[in-house]
Amino acid sequence: MAPHHLPFYLAPGSGVDPLMVVMGLFLIGTVLWVGTLYWRLHSLPERMAHKSQKLQFEFVAVLGLISLFTHMHAFWIAGLFLAMIDIPDFGTPMRSIADSVERIADAAPGEMSETTRADPPPPRQPGPAQEREHGHV
């Protein structure tokens, strides 16, 4: 009894609505796309710190997790700033100094290098200038 010239977007008598199926698939795809975009944006500081091999990578990752679970954007912004700056590496020079001092401390007093095995300088003869210096004290 329905007229044969109805538009395509009206559901036929069988009950299947093709426009609703297309819009449902479009909605599911859009939600997945927006979710992926959100996760990519949220992990931006962590990816930046990992790509440039920053020392503070773990700290940036923890700030990202805290901001994800608490929904406090200040942690995400702090992680982004930490990922953008370079913190100087003080550990490597200090470790080198500590290794050198340890090597010096472990050397026995009798084990001197070739340059220090030379004869010690002759003792100084007290001269008139040195005797005057003692008188000032």
Side-chain angles (χ1 to χ4, degrees):
M1 302 236 121
H4 298 290
H5 62 280
L6 291 176
F8 74 94
Y9 53 84
L10 290 178
S14 67
V16 177
D17 188 0
L19 187 59
M20 188 174 89
V21 171
V22 169
M23 289 308 295
L25 293 174
F26 177 75
L27 181 66
I28 289 171
T30 303
V31 167
L32 290 175
W33 178 74
V34 168
T36 304
L37 181 67
Y38 172 77
W39 286 112
R40 298 264 312 161
L41 180 66
H42 183 76
S43 66
L44 178 68
E46 189 175 347
R47 286 185 287 125
M48 285 173 58
H50 183 69
K51 187 182 352 174
S52 59
Q53 301 293 325
K54 304 263 186 199
L55 294 173
Q56 65 270 24
F57 167 70
E58 293 172 358
F59 193 60
V60 170
V62 169
L63 283 174
L65 283 175
I66 290 172
S67 71
L68 177 66
F69 292 122
T70 61
H71 300 289
M72 295 179 70
H73 305 298
F75 290 115
W76 186 85
I77 293 169
L80 184 65
F81 284 147
L82 270 177
M84 287 192 287
I85 63 170
D86 287 330
I87 295 178
D89 181 21
F90 294 113
T92 304
M94 294 303 259
R95 195 172 309 116
S96 173
I97 292 170
D99 290 343
S100 298
V101 169
E102 186 177 330
R103 256 186 276 130
I104 291 170
D106 286 343
E111 299 177 12
M112 293 186 182
S113 65
E114 293 296 323
T115 57
T116 58
R117 286 189 185 173
D119 293 331
R124 290 189 193 180
Q125 297 294 330
Q130 289 179 347
E131 289 176 3
R132 268 187 272 145
E133 286 181 24
H134 292 294
H136 290 291
V137 179

